[in-house]
């Protein structure tokens, strides 16, 4: 690694976002075009496709880092994510891994973090079978490849899915392209409500390598609240303001407030939950969220092409039900960097700042051959969620690695039941 | 047993107990005891008494008496203290408070006439049904608030306080050399710094505190886990004075709700729920102008606050019934303020046709909703939240917006703030004055709101822990001084009032307990 002279790196950036550009300028970096000799490229997903496409003949140098993994959709497309998680669970089950422990009804105890999901149209018949077993349930349809709440609708009658029905009578059935696939999941109709309102969590997780897995959790995540009271009434199923927490949808509602943007810090959420529900159950919730993320990353670690030029900062959407159980909704490869409020802008600025410091240790030139172990002093507001290298070398140290960002350190007091020793994880 | 309570005081206490619910409950419990076979007729009294003590009634009675003692301080002269002296012993301040109240009422009445809204009106049947249906979402589709303005804001109140003068007082100092530097020029009795140090001695730097020693980078077994264990034991004892003593070092987050409930003597049973439902029914039946004031206040303050906006609907469910609660009127016996009266149309001045308006006698001002907001983090049940707010308001917060000589009243708190600042940060105070900035102008709004909405929510709760525990609001003045101290370096560079305000605009990063400790114990 080169010496610690003030490194004026060359960067390329596809997005005109102040939180990015301000960070680059603060470091004295030099803007160049994506076709020039950049060392740091904050790209959008289309450009990344070009960079890594077989036809482009692009070869990344040892001092070039880019902000997406080539096939991140294994994690960020809803249908692929579900497929990978299901496969991961099956594998652990086959190996009789204690993680795959099931309860009396056959549900996974530790790995039950995604709601029942089917891919349409492929699993249509399986879905119908399940739906007929419990006809009074609500399901949520989401297009696999879209974001920001586009194209989502709720379903509680089979007739709403007419177009997927493979009735042989409709001879003009055209096999849909992968662009048209949907996932349909059991709708969580008992979300935790605060002040009577539904909310979800947006957490940021930085992954610098998948094999070995090194991931970092950002302490300053936030909750997004619906502006309208939650109403589980079936007549309100069409009211998107009640059910979807995406800010882009809430923003257009009448009661949207631009001062706080319907966002609450995770600290306030913790304070509320600890005060009203108690410390143990709150700690357990945040613990389960950490594990949920690690398991999901582990599930895709085998299929993601672990190009060492890549890192990625994901936006995780998690919903909590009123038993204080977290559910994974989806993972976003390009979490929004637009700021809706001033505290939002500050938070996202700090996020990018810390991401850059972890990916390229400050003052140094990027060198993709390093072991990617970030120094403690560079973590900023991130904490180490899981570091496979360190976990392998020191099994006992696995526990302190999982310490929650805002709770007290619990040293060796954590129960290890159900958590396997690192040696069994590939 | 010799006690410093006069026979008259004890008499009042017994009377109050006899007319409260605990009397009937004890009566019933005693009946149950008597019917037990273990009690012998020859020792009836002793048997029933020990039975009651064993089943926890003695504890409940003790708690009840304790709550009475806290809210009914022993008066200076046991027999002859006139009622108005209990409210406020100094004549000129009594008169000032009455004048202030007249102004508020006039402002309210003129808003009524201007906007042609009645002070109160009965809701038509249809409207009642509709309101009842959306009781839990009052934040949406509220009344039209464009014309409504708050009756007054803290800065209006400050102007009144600034003009207060004791007509009997002549400092013999016509040149003004010895006047105090601040805005409040009244000779009132205040606590000295040494007395404050004694009062808050449990917060000394050498004592571990919640809010300092329980943060995440300190191992839990050094303080936090023992503290929580002790807290759980305290809760089991169900004894208000013990809970209050425990809270002096702060309440762990997970135990705070129960500790505050014990300290404030809140036990919600089915009668309390019924009473709340009755208040709710009153809100639905009649629409008061005060309701619109409260709506406006919530929309202006909590709805725009990124810590409390989530609880907007809860705030209406607490504040609107609060205005109908006539039990609140009893606190006026020790409040220098008096409930405003309104007269039935056409019978102005005729006492037979006067009603208290609003029914609870409290006219809200700009920021009133913020007294409730931090409590929403603790109580997720609106009924319990209601009683907690009512208890805190009638024990403490009413003093923050009425003119009185009480050492915890806002006038004395302001004077205490200025005195402490002048004594301990003379250079800073003088400098600020010279650039046209009176520190109280900035600190006043913090004091009136007990810092709610200015500090981050967990810090407000830590501060209010201490208010409950030490039974005093003086900590607000101490904190205000310590904030000025803390930002001294930047304040000494400002050149204008606005610049000073900007330095002190954002307090959300402050940790209050270390600041208070620094101020009190490190000079």
């Amino acid at each position: 690694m080169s010496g610690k002279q003030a490194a004026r790196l060359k960067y390329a950036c596809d997005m005109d976002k102040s939180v990015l550009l301000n960070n680059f300028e603060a470091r004295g970096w030099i803007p160049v075009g994506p076709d020039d000799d950049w060392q740091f490229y904050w790209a959008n997903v289309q450009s990344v496709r070009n960079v890594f496409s077989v036809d482009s003949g692009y070869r990344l140098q040892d001092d070039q880092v880019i902000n997406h993994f080539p096939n991140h959709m294994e994690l960020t497309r809803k249908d692929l994510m579900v497929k990978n998680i299901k496969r991961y669970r099956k594998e652990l089950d086959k190996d009789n891994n204690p993680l795959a422990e099931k309860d009396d009804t056959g549900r996974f105890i530790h790995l039950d973090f995604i709601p029942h999901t089917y891919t349409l149209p492929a699993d249509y018949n399986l879905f119908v079978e399940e739906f007929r077993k419990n006809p009074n349930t609500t399901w949520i349809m989401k297009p696999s490849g879209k974001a920001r709440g586009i194209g989502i609708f709720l379903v509680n009658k089979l007739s709403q899915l007419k177009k997927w029905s493979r009735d042989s009578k409709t001879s003009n059935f055209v096999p849909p392209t992968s662009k048209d696939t949907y996932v349909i999941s059991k709708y969580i109709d008992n979300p935790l409500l605060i002040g009577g309102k539904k909310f979800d969590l947006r957490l940021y997780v930085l992954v610098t390598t998948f094999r070995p897995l090194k991931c970092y959790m950002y302490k300053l995540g936030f909750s997004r609240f619906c502006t309208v009271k939650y109403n589980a009434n079936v007549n309100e199923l069409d009211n998107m303001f009640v059910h979807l927490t995406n800010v882009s949808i809430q923003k257009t509602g009448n009661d949207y407030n631009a001062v706080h943007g319907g966002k609450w810090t995770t600290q306030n959420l913790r304070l509320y939950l600890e005060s009203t529900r108690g410390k143990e159950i709150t700690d357990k919730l945040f613990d389960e969220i950490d594990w949920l993320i690690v398991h999901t990353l582990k599930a895709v670690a085998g299929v993601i092409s672990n190009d060492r030029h890549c890192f990625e900062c994901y936006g995780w959407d998690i919903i909590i039900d009123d038993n204080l159980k977290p559910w994974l909704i989806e993972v976003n490869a390009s979490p929004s960097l637009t700021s809706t409020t001033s505290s939002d802008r500050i938070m996202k600025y700090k996020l990018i700042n810390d991401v850059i410091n972890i990916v390229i240790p400050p003052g140094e030139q990027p060198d993709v051959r390093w072991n990617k172990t970030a120094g403690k002093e560079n973590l900023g507001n991130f904490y180490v969620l899981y570091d496979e290298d360190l976990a392998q070398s020191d099994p006992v140290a696995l526990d302190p690695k999982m310490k929650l960002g805002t709770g007290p350190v619990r040293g060796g007091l954590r129960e290890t039941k159900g958590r396997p020793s690192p040696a069994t994880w590939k | 047993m010799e006690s410093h309570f006069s026979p008259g005081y004890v008499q009042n206490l017994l009377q109050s107990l006899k007319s409260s619910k605990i009397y009937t409950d004890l009566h019933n419990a005693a009946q149950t005891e008597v019917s037990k076979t273990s009690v012998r007729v020859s020792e009836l009294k002793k048997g029933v008494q020990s039975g009651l003590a064993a089943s926890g009634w003695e504890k409940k009675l003790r708690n009840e008496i304790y709550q009475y003692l806290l809210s009914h301080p022993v008066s200076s002269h046991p027999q002859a203290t006139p009622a108005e002296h209990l409210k406020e012993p100094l004549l000129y301040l009594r008169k000032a408070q009455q004048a202030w109240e007249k102004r508020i009422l006039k402002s309210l009445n003129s808003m009524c006439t201007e906007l042609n809204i009645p002070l109160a009106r009965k809701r038509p049947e249809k409207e009642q049904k509709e309101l009842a249906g959306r009781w839990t979402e009052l934040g949406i589709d509220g009344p039209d608030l464009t014309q409504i303005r708050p009756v007054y804001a803290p800065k209006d109140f400050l102007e009144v306080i600034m003009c207060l003068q004791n007509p009997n007082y002549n400092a013999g100092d016509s040149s003004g050399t010895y006047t105090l530097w601040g805005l409040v020029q009244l000779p009132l009795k205040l606590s000295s710094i040494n007395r404050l140090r004694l009062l808050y001695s449990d917060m000394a730097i050498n004592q571990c505190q919640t809010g300092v020693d329980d943060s995440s980078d300190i191992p839990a077994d050094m303080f936090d886990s023992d503290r929580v264990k002790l807290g759980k034991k305290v809760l089991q004892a169900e004894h208000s004075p013990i809970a209050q003593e425990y809270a002096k070092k702060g309440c762990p987050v997970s135990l705070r709700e129960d500790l505050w409930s014990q300290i404030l003597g809140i036990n919600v049973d089915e009668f309390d729920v019924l009473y709340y439902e009755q208040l709710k029914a009153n809100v639905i039946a009649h629409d008061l102008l005060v309701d619109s004031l409260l709506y406006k206040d919530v929309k202006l303050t909590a709805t725009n606050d990124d810590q409390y906006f989530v609880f907007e609907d809860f705030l209406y469910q607490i504040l609107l019934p609060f205005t109908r609660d006539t039990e609140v009127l009893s606190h006026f016996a020790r409040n220098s303020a008096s409930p405003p009266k309104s007269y039935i149309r056409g019978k102005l001045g005729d006492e037979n046709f006067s009603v208290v308006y609003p029914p609870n006698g409290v006219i809200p001002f700009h920021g009133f909703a913020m007294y409730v907001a931090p409590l929403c983090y603790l109580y997720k049940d609106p009924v319990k939240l209601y009683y907690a707010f009512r208890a805190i308001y009638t024990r403490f917060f009413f003093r923050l917006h009425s003119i009185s000589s009480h050492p915890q009243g806002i006038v004395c708190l302001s004077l205490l703030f200025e005195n402490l600042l002048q004594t301990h940060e003379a250079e800073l105070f003088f400098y600020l004055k010279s650039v046209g900035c009176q520190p109280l102008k900035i600190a006043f709004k913090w004091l009136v709101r007990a810092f709610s909405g200015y500090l981050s929510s967990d810090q407000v709760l830590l501060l209010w822990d201490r208010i409950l525990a030490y039974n005093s609001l003086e900590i607000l003045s101490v904190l205000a001084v310590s904030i000025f101290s803390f930002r001294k370096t930047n304040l000494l560079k400002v050149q204008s009032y606005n610049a000073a305000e900007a330095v002190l605009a954002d307090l959300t990063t402050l940790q209050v307990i270390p600041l208070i400790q620094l101020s009190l114990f490190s000079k």
Side-chain angles (χ1 to χ4, degrees), chain B residues 164-220:
Chain B
L164 292 175
Q165 279 201 2
N166 184 343
N168 280 343
Y169 187 66
N170 182 351
D173 168 40
S174 46
S175 60
T177 327
Y178 299 106
T179 49
L180 300 168
W181 289 352
L183 295 171
V184 183
Q185 301 285 341
L186 296 174
L188 291 171
K189 187 155 184 252
L190 302 170
S191 296
S192 67
I193 184 81
N194 285 323
R195 194 179 163 273
L196 288 173
R197 284 189 182 128
L198 271 176
L199 174 64
Y200 293 111
S201 58
D202 273 309
M203 285 181 69
I205 298 184
N206 60 350
Q207 312 258 1
C208 284
Q209 302 284 328
T210 305
V212 179
D213 301 286
D214 61 339
S215 69
S216 49
D217 30 329
I218 297 178

Side-chain angles (χ1 to χ4, degrees), chain A residues 209-244:
Chain A
T209 149
F210 275 94
R211 294 186 303 274
L213 178 61
K214 288 185 203 268
C215 51
Y216 307 85
M217 167 83 102
Y218 197 57
K219 293 180 199 171
L220 305 179
F222 55 90
S223 320
R224 298 176 292 207
F225 278 82
C226 288
T227 50
V228 174
K229 261 281 175 311
Y230 180 70
N231 188 336
N233 193 314
V234 288
N235 294 323
E236 292 283 345
L237 283 182
D238 286 333
N239 184 346
M240 284 296 117
F241 294 117
V242 174
H243 293 282
L244 298 181

